[in-house]
Amino acid sequence: MIELEGVPELIDPVMVAAFEGWNDAGDAASTAVAHLEREWKGEVFAALDAEDYYDFQVNRPTVFMDAGVRKITWPTTRLSVVRVGGEKPRDLVLVRGIEPSMRWRSFCNELLGFAHELGVELVVILGALLGDTPHTRPVPVSGVTSDPDLAQRMDLEETKYEGPTGIVGVLQEACTHAGVPAVSLWAAVPHYVSQPPNPKATLALLNRLEDLLDLRIPQGELPEDARAWQVGVDQLAAEDSEVAEYVQTLEEARDTAELPEASGEAIAREFERYLRRRDVSPPGGKPRPPASGGGGKDDEDDAED
């Protein structure tokens, strides 16, 4: 049974979820939700019963000492809530956990039960995948949905993917069948540097989420961490001529593919973020793009090189 007595009435709530595991290359997605919890001081109000969904031989519990007493932390999925202030405050219900080992349909139904009880209006699921993308370029982030109307209204892609899927895909389809609007945001992580952490991909996801929900997300130390990460990978690539040549091949392919994508819309999106971070409202809604500035694909504003 879902007990939510300790949760206040929420304002325009959006559920943002991420799960460690197959859908979380470089831990980029789960780290993004952890960042939101930390920056906005999220308060956990519920946790799913670990016994129902996890194989403890796959995801083992951990033992720790608390004031001289041994305690165990069980792998699970926890929900917290944060309030985003501003002229139009709203609440985010943050879901962070591990991809379940079993009973995925029940897992999704339980999360949707929370969403229904809390009056969630939109579910955004963050994911990260390995791709043929160079670490030297902005991180590509795609937004997809199964809802054609939502795709048109929020400028998203209507998913056409066929093949194996993880809990992100299953939860999105469960939302669709339950009549809950759902979006998935996917960051592409270079497959040749897939080990976590990847702060550049995390920052890209948060920037895309910021645009999607039209809110300002405090970045903390992520921009600096992203720059340091790229410098470190640059140094590693420079030490191996084959890797350096491969990265150059990826760069050329990426740059060639993106030439037609440079547009005033991409520049306008960056300008909107610039104004939002300085608490300035663009006059008359969407601002006109600056008179000069670099072009690039929409995702080029997702992270700084």
Side-chain angles (χ1 to χ4, degrees):
M1 180 179 294
I2 299 174
E3 299 288 347
L4 300 175
E5 295 180 359
V7 180
E9 185 175 352
L10 303 184
I11 303 173
D12 300 329
V14 173
M15 179 176 281
V16 181
F19 305 94
E20 299 174 19
W22 197 60
N23 297 137
D24 193 25
D27 290 352
S30 57
T31 302
V33 173
H35 177 85
L36 297 176
E37 287 181 326
R38 182 173 58 256
E39 292 293 324
W40 280 321
K41 298 177 173 57
E43 297 183 5
V44 175
F45 65 86
L48 276 60
D49 190 340
E51 292 278 353
D52 291 339
Y53 304 114
Y54 295 100
D55 179 346
F56 299 136
Q57 291 182 325
V58 176
N59 296 292
R60 292 186 178 273
T62 57
V63 178
F64 68 100
M65 300 296 293
D66 182 13
V69 178
R70 289 172 62 85
K71 294 185 178 180
I72 293 179
T73 298
W74 296 94
T76 188
T77 294
R78 294 179 173 84
L79 290 82
S80 61
V81 63
V82 299
R83 176 150 295 176
V84 183
E87 293 183 1
K88 295 182 179 179
R90 76 182 315 171
D91 292 303
L92 299 184
V93 179
L94 304 178
V95 179
R96 182 162 64 101
I98 305 169
E99 184 176 67
S101 307
M102 52 199 171
R103 303 184 67 220
W104 283 20
R105 285 177 290 186
S106 297
F107 180 87
C108 292
N109 288 337
E110 188 163 356
L111 289 180
L112 285 171
F114 280 109
H116 175 74
E117 292 294 323
L118 294 168
V120 166
E121 300 175 348
L122 174 70
V123 174
V124 182
I125 315 166
L126 306 183
L129 48 81
L130 299 179
D132 293 327
T133 182
H135 73 279
T136 53
R137 296 295 185 265
V139 177
V141 178
S142 57
V144 298
T145 180
S146 299
D147 185 334
D149 295 332
L150 192 63
Q152 184 175 11
R153 188 167 69 251
M154 303 188 77
D155 191 24
L156 302 166
E157 299 176 27
E158 188 177 352
T159 180
K160 303 295 184 183
Y161 173 76
E162 295 180 312
T165 189
I167 194 61
V168 171
V170 172
L171 179 56
Q172 179 167 331
E173 288 307 301
C175 290
T176 300
H177 291 306
V180 179
V183 175
S184 295
L185 301 181
W186 289 94
V189 172
H191 65 84
Y192 58 88
V193 57
S194 60
Q195 64 273 22
N198 189 320
K200 188 173 181 178
T202 294
L203 183 60
L205 281 170
L206 291 173
N207 282 340
R208 188 68 173 86
L209 180 67
E210 190 177 61
D211 292 339
L212 182 73
L213 301 182
D214 191 24
L215 50 79
R216 178 181 175 181
I217 297 175
Q219 295 185 339
E221 298 179 356
L222 273 176
E224 182 179 346
D225 292 343
R227 285 189 289 269
W229 175 87
Q230 180 164 320
V231 169
V233 179
D234 284 342
Q235 294 173 346
L236 291 174
E239 295 172 359
D240 189 318
S241 59
E242 291 186 1
V243 173
E245 183 178 352
Y246 179 63
V247 171
Q248 184 178 0
T249 301
L250 293 178
E251 289 173 340
E252 292 172 353
R254 172 80 178 270
D255 294 344
T256 300
E258 288 187 347
L259 282 175
E261 298 296 328
S263 67
E265 183 177 353
I267 300 172
R269 181 176 290 111
E270 175 62 23
F271 189 49
E272 286 175 339
R273 181 178 295 126
Y274 171 86
L275 294 177
R276 183 165 55 235
R277 292 202 171 282
R278 285 152 183 79
D279 296 321
V280 177
S281 299
K286 191 170 184 178
R288 296 174 59 187
S292 63
K297 192 175 179 180
D298 293 354
D299 296 321
E300 287 195 2
D301 54 10
D302 287 333
E304 296 182 358
D305 290 343

